[in-house]
Amino acid sequence: MFNQFFSQLLSMSITSSFIILIVIMVRFFLKKYPKHISYMLWSVVLFRLLCPISVPSMFSILPDMKVKDYLEVKMEEPFIVPDLSGEEMTVQTSDFTDSIQQNCRTDNKIPFNEKKELLSAGILEFCKYIWFFGMGIMLLFSWGSYLNIKKKVAVAVPFTGNVYLLDEFVNPFVLGILHTRIYIPNSLDSKNRQLVIHHEKTHIRRFDHISKFLYFIALCIHWMNPLVWISFILFCNDMEMSCDESVVRKLGVSVAPDYASALLLIAQSENKLRKSFVAFGEGDIKARIKNLVSLRKEKKRAPIILVIGIVALLITLALIPRGEKQSNTVAEPSIDLPQESGESIILERNDAIEETESLRVSLSIEDYYSTNIGDPSNLYYIDDSGVLWGCGRNNCGQLCQGSQDYDFHSDMVKMAEKVVHVDYSQRDFMIYLTEDNKLYGVGNAGSGALQQYDSFDWNKYLNGEKYSVNEPFLLMENVLYAKCGRDDVVALKKDGTVWTWGTISINGGYLSSDFCFISSPEKILENAILVTGGWFSHAALLQDGTVWTWGYNSAGNCGVSGVEVVNKPVKVAENAVMVWTGSMEYNSHCKNIGEFLGVYPRQLNNTIIQKVDGTMWMCGENVGTEEKVIHGAEGNYVITCSSEFLQYQ
């Protein structure tokens, strides 16, 4: 629980850092405008620093940043999954088949100084406790300061209303959240006293004392982020200057010289208050006086279009990026349903066909071949002559050149001939299928996806660049179709059987001592017509219209609730004619690797099903209303999700 909290905190801090930089830049261009506009901008920073709930939107202008860490995620115990027929299915997370269970490793320990990933994990673990210790020190110190000030103001004499006088010469300040009091030094003359009281009452009326208190709490929480310290100082400056402007405009610009004199008088006090309180003499006094001078010169008001632009900016900064819906660009499958002559079939949207044996789904597998696919690391393309081309990284030899290097190959290089289908993994290996139904693989072999090892080895897994296959390696024959997971491969053979191999259930790419390793292809399903692959989960569509899923299930993307890893295929739907995992597209729109701009096509954790009546149903990320932290290869982040299939609009 603490790991998830700290990871989410890092994500919030990084997102807030981008917003702070944007606000600082916009603030620079608003120097000639009233400071209440700049002050308003800090509200979105405060929101992002304190609020763990994010609203995804395509209108967000923030980069899709996620924190990468290596916090350990434990596998779940065996669980019971009800299937759609009403019977219960027991799924053991420790086995896939009997032979897989023999290869499950639970006692692998990695020397800390030999693995850079574990070093990162150790550093992150150390930072957790440093952060917690530092936050505790700040909060304790602030609480001590508060108690000390409460003790000093106990002798204050009531003046008028909620205003109290102190014999000690201090900065006038506001104390309290709900029952606020204003404390001012008794030595102030009548004119300065009234100006100070107007200033502090303006703070209270605008709830500045609450805003500053919340910002100080945010500073304590994110104390390790230097940008938060900078933002707190600028926030205080903008708050004080906007309050100065409000007071001077209310009393008349003629009071500006006297107001500036009061600022200089208070600034001479050596008894400064802690920054967690709203005080008259806080902020950059020189900048506040210069701002008052410019106010006397009738600083121009902000035009309406500027105010509208600032509001729009606040809204877009408060949102987080969300991937756009992918369109279905593949051919529709055909459905064979027995029916008597002259009778039409009427299917209600939520009704199940009682006898699923009567449903027979067929499709043309060629319509689902990938011929143009990739991400910012690599792009693979099959031309009309069946020649496979590739570009991008070659650190694991994934460009089939018989060697590996650390150059970025912007131009396409020829990889193979007579190729009909290609797929890739974010772990730097790729697979391709030839016309004679032979499946080849090349690249990072550390996960066992290229069938190079009899047993799992952490050293190979973590240092795949040292254990790569640089030339095409024959993985399987008589293959009709195949897809990559992150660390595994799933293949559909011509006889309808589904096979898989590689590293299974590695907890979304996080280091763990609990996992399963399949060194050679294992049969897991029969009578299938299509298999899919996403980041970590797979799905298979069988001839009888049932859908089976397995893999990493952090977002409920396998259609199963209460478990993070589904190691054994589970039936999650009936009466289906199509299934997708992640994206609904099989080919990328990007023809040049530079067009990706940092967007990974299969970053969403979803399973999407099309029923016989044409309706679409989805589970996983950005579905439903459940809020949770999920663990992806790119880091931890908060999403809304559902393990229940909901109708997709």
Side-chain angles (χ1 to χ4, degrees), residues 465-477:
E465 294 181 358
K466 297 180 180 179
Y467 303 93
S468 298
V469 176
N470 302 324
E471 295 182 349
F473 178 79
L474 180 61
L475 298 173
M476 181 178 282
E477 298 187 63

Side-chain angles (χ1 to χ4, degrees), residues 3 7 10 67-71 124 510 631-636:
N3 286 349
S7 180
L10 290 179
V67 181
K68 182 177 181 180
D69 59 46
Y70 299 98
L71 300 179
L124 190 62
Y510 286 75
H631 316 286
E634 74 283 10
N636 290 0

Side-chain angles (χ1 to χ4, degrees), residues 26-95:
V26 174
R27 182 178 176 273
F28 175 79
F29 292 102
L30 294 174
K31 290 191 297 184
K32 296 182 179 180
Y33 293 97
K35 294 303 177 182
H36 68 268
I37 299 178
S38 301
Y39 179 45
M40 182 172 58
L41 288 173
W42 296 112
S43 61
V44 72
V45 177
L46 181 60
F47 170 75
R48 295 307 319 156
L49 287 171
L50 293 178
C51 183
I53 300 175
S54 300
V55 181
S57 172
M58 62 182 296
F59 298 106
S60 175
I61 63 174
L62 296 176
D64 193 7
M65 284 294 299
K66 302 175 180 71
V67 181
K68 182 177 181 180
D69 59 46
Y70 299 98
L71 300 179
E72 183 172 298
V73 182
K74 298 297 183 183
M75 295 176 64
E76 299 288 342
E77 296 298 322
F79 61 98
I80 304 296
V81 181
D83 95 10
L84 297 182
S85 64
E87 299 178 356
E88 290 187 340
M89 300 177 59
T90 302
V91 180
Q92 297 288 338
T93 60
S94 60
D95 66 345

Side-chain angles (χ1 to χ4, degrees), residues 293-344:
V293 172
S294 63
L295 192 65
R296 292 185 64 195
K297 296 179 180 179
E298 297 184 354
K299 180 183 295 186
K300 55 184 176 182
R301 295 182 178 273
I304 296 179
I305 189 171
L306 176 60
V307 175
I308 295 175
I310 293 297
V311 172
L313 178 64
L314 289 173
I315 294 174
T316 55
L317 289 178
L319 303 172
I320 63 171
R322 179 179 65 185
E324 296 182 0
K325 293 180 180 178
Q326 303 293 335
S327 60
N328 179 13
T329 60
V330 297
E332 292 291 333
S334 61
I335 313 165
D336 297 325
L337 290 172
Q339 55 180 313
E340 296 181 9
S341 177
E343 293 184 1
S344 61

